Amino acid sequence: VGGVSVGDRDYVREASRAAGVREVFWRVSVKPGKPVLFGRQGRNKLFFGLPGNPVSALVSFHQFVRPAILAMSGHPDVTPEALTATFKGSYRKKVGRLEWVRGFLTHERNGPEVRAVTGQESHMLGGLASANCLVELPAESTGARDGDGVRVVPLQWRS
């Protein structure tokens, strides 16, 4: 964790190669968390290199590493639970990458509702600390508007 990127002081990718890790993928079209490295060493060792920004690292852990750990532990279903909720408010994004927006999910009389929390930048831990879910905004979308149905993945930090 911390340092998989492209800066002058990002040594994780180079160090993983030197340690014999065979790179499976490098970078994903996801925000936050674009600089993610996944590789294998031998048959049974997995290697995950996560971004240096704290929110990017935690979201990447939740979406990539946690399912891998659950699978290796014998859990039958490792796909994060998802549901559809009504988006409240508005959130704009650029087309081109899937974006995981930190949100707060509530269960109202008319069904689940979700709002984006404040502090969406990848270095802002306060936004993630106040979130209880991730709102999936597909790469082709420009965001979410009040009343839109959106896919929501509740955050689960325990097994």
Side-chain angles (χ1 to χ4, degrees), residues 91-106:
Y91 186 87
R92 297 192 55 75
K93 71 176 256 327
K94 293 180 184 177
V95 171
R97 287 202 275 185
L98 179 147
E99 190 165 335
W100 291 108
V101 174
R102 277 73 70 209
F104 193 79
L105 178 67
T106 58

Side-chain angles (χ1 to χ4, degrees), residues 4-111:
V4 175
S5 193
V6 294
D8 292 340
R9 297 192 182 193
D10 298 323
Y11 303 111
V12 176
R13 190 173 184 212
E14 181 182 320
S16 70
R17 285 185 191 142
V21 172
R22 180 180 49 84
E23 196 172 286
V24 175
F25 66 80
W26 160 240
R27 293 193 181 162
V28 290
S29 189
V30 174
K31 181 179 179 180
K34 183 178 180 178
V36 170
L37 169 64
F38 173 69
R40 292 181 169 272
Q41 188 180 45
R43 289 189 65 218
N44 299 318
K45 294 179 186 172
L46 304 182
F47 178 89
F48 288 91
L50 301 181
N53 280 325
V55 172
S56 298
L58 288 165
V59 169
S60 296
F61 177 87
H62 193 272
Q63 298 303 95
F64 296 105
V65 181
R66 184 177 187 278
I69 291 171
L70 290 173
M72 290 185 297
S73 300
H75 285 260
D77 185 12
V78 301
T79 305
E81 169 194 351
L83 59 111
T84 301
T86 302
F87 196 84
K88 301 311 261 179
S90 65
Y91 186 87
R92 297 192 55 75
K93 71 176 256 327
K94 293 180 184 177
V95 171
R97 287 202 275 185
L98 179 147
E99 190 165 335
W100 291 108
V101 174
R102 277 73 70 209
F104 193 79
L105 178 67
T106 58
H107 296 278
E108 304 298 329
R109 197 173 312 150
N110 294 330

